[in-house]
Amino acid sequence: MGYKVAVVGATGNVGREMLAILEERGFPVSEVVPLASRRSVGQEVSFGDKTLKVRALENYDFSDTDICLMSAGGSVSKEWSPKIGAQGCVVIDNSSAFRYDSDVPLVVPEVNADAVAGFTKRNIIANPNCSTAQLVVALKPLHDRFGIKRVVVSTYQSVSGAGKEGMDELDRQTKGLYSLKEPEVQKFSKRIAFNVIPHIDVFMEDGFTKEEWKMTVETKKILDPKIKLTATCVRVPVFIGHSEAVNIECEQPVTADEAREILRAAPGILVDDKREAGGYTTPIEAAGEDATYISRIREDATVENGLAFWCVSDNLRKGAALNAVQIAEVLANRKLIQPKARAAA
């Protein structure tokens, strides 16, 4: 008997990806229910070869639902996730609403799957920020072997991280520029077509943006509170796929060859590292793929025990939808929850 799964925000980029990945990975479902706001009621979404009609979140009874994949933004999650959890349905939340709550586990299954068991406090599990998810997948095996002390990361984040509006703006501006039209700026602070913007989320008092702050705090919570991390997050004119240039300083001596072998053996990682033209992965190759790709692995002689590498992943998958489904798989495989239909029988 399978699990009854609700997907909140089913009409958005990540919600649709969640539906696709549930089907692709053969997650054991008895029923899938797509939910969204009232204005989306009646829209159709795909689940495998089935077409499902979207229902209203506000009118839905979660008492017989086992898992809720939540991808409708922080304000919706803050209002609804505790209510859903109180009905005995486990919420796997893609927003930042509960990531920093000490009673809510923040989970990347390849890194800290055991933390999932803490969901019982509030029936909520948090997905990390998309840029954090791929980073900690890459850092985990290196930290286990060499002991990472400090991380310096610069991100190159695609417009899909800003939702459909971000993708539409890049598309519209690019087409407009080819027609010699002045691009209209709506979603981003400056023109994104043929440009890069060193600004994601709001600025904080210390000059860092909230996106940069998220990477620091989330890495500490997921991996190790002793790790020091500084980030510069940049929006680039790429539709799907976040890239990161990562520099780490370790406690133990590290070589590029040893790091390469450790990363090759680690879950969720594919090493693509040939020291030749094209011997690395770019966002285009990573789009639609589940893996976190590591390239350009090299020793950094400017610090003791230093290493640098390039990290690329599909932000809609590993950064959001895939990670949420993987968390659901941990719940099911470890029998941390049982289908309510089975319990009632």
Side-chain angles (χ1 to χ4, degrees):
M1 186 176 291
Y3 296 87
K4 187 173 181 180
V5 179
V7 177
V8 177
T11 59
N13 286 343
V14 174
R16 291 177 187 272
E17 200 73 17
M18 285 173 169
L19 291 165
I21 291 172
L22 281 169
E23 196 276 333
E24 284 173 20
R25 294 175 70 89
F27 186 79
V29 298
S30 60
E31 184 181 355
V32 173
V33 183
L35 301 172
S37 63
R38 284 194 181 96
R39 68 177 179 272
S40 297
V41 169
Q43 285 190 32
E44 294 183 342
V45 293
S46 297
F47 177 67
D49 57 2
K50 298 178 182 177
T51 299
L52 307 176
K53 286 192 179 294
V54 174
R55 295 159 65 176
L57 168 63
E58 295 88 339
N59 302 331
Y60 186 73
D61 180 1
F62 286 87
S63 60
D64 68 344
T65 302
D66 301 298
I67 298 169
C68 173
L69 304 182
M70 174 73 69
S71 186
S75 59
V76 173
S77 182
K78 281 180 183 177
E79 178 183 356
W80 285 95
S81 290
K83 296 177 184 177
I84 296 167
Q87 293 184 60
C89 177
V90 181
V91 178
I92 302 172
D93 179 34
N94 194 54
S95 80
S96 61
F98 297 97
R99 289 175 187 159
Y100 318 111
D101 187 320
S102 59
D103 289 335
V104 174
L106 181 64
V107 176
V108 176
E110 297 94 332
V111 179
N112 65 335
D114 290 346
V116 167
F119 80 92
T120 55
K121 293 179 181 177
R122 298 194 66 182
N123 261 4
I124 301 171
I125 303 168
N127 245 10
N129 189 38
C130 48
S131 51
T132 305
Q134 67 188 70
L135 177 66
V136 295
V137 168
L139 294 182
K140 167 67 173 174
L142 299 173
H143 184 53
D144 286 348
R145 172 61 182 86
F146 304 109
I148 296 173
K149 297 194 297 184
R150 181 171 182 260
V151 181
V152 180
V153 55
S154 296
T155 72
Y156 307 77
Q157 294 178 229
S158 66
V159 293
S160 58
K164 184 177 183 298
E165 296 94 339
M167 298 178 77
D168 288 345
E169 183 144 319
L170 174 57
D171 180 65
R172 185 175 58 250
Q173 288 183 356
T174 303
K175 290 175 179 175
L177 285 164
Y178 279 122
S179 302
L180 302 179
K181 295 178 182 176
E182 186 64 28
E184 184 181 0
V185 174
Q186 294 178 340
K187 180 65 178 177
F188 300 112
S189 58
K190 295 196 176 190
R191 187 184 105 186
I192 186 62
F194 304 100
N195 197 19
V196 299
I197 304 172
H199 168 203
I200 300 177
D201 213 324
V202 298
F203 276 93
M204 304 180 76
E205 288 186 4
D206 61 1
F208 285 88
T209 65
K210 195 169 183 182
E211 184 84 357
E212 293 156 356
W213 174 85
K214 288 174 188 173
M215 292 191 74
T216 300
V217 177
E218 292 171 16
T219 299
K220 288 175 176 288
K221 183 173 179 178
I222 295 168
L223 196 56
D224 189 335
K226 297 189 294 293
I227 290 177
K228 296 179 180 179
L229 185 146
T230 185
T232 301
C233 293
V234 183
R235 189 74 72 192
V236 297
V238 169
F239 283 108
I240 296 173
H242 287 356
S243 305
E244 298 172 350
V246 185
N247 182 287
I248 62 173
E249 184 179 353
C250 302
E251 295 172 356
Q252 303 296 325
V254 54
T255 68
D257 287 341
E258 189 175 4
R260 199 175 288 111
E261 290 309 307
I262 288 169
L263 289 167
R264 280 201 178 105
I269 291 173
L270 282 176
V271 174
D272 177 22
D273 188 24
K274 304 178 188 70
R275 294 180 175 179
E276 60 188 43
Y280 39 78
T281 300
T282 64
I284 287 175
E285 289 93 47
E289 300 294 328
D290 291 347
T292 295
Y293 291 84
I294 309 294
S295 308
R296 301 291 319 282
I297 302 166
R298 59 211 189 272
E299 292 153 33
D300 177 7
T302 66
V303 293
E304 190 174 4
N305 306 328
L307 190 78
F309 60 88
W310 175 252
C311 173
V312 181
S313 188
D314 182 328
N315 55 295
L316 297 180
R317 291 181 73 89
K318 185 55 195 168
L322 173 64
N323 199 73
V325 174
Q326 287 177 306
I327 292 171
E329 290 172 345
V330 173
L331 289 170
N333 293 339
R334 298 190 179 190
K335 296 179 169 52
L336 296 172
I337 61 171
Q338 293 290 335
K340 290 178 181 175
R342 177 184 295 168

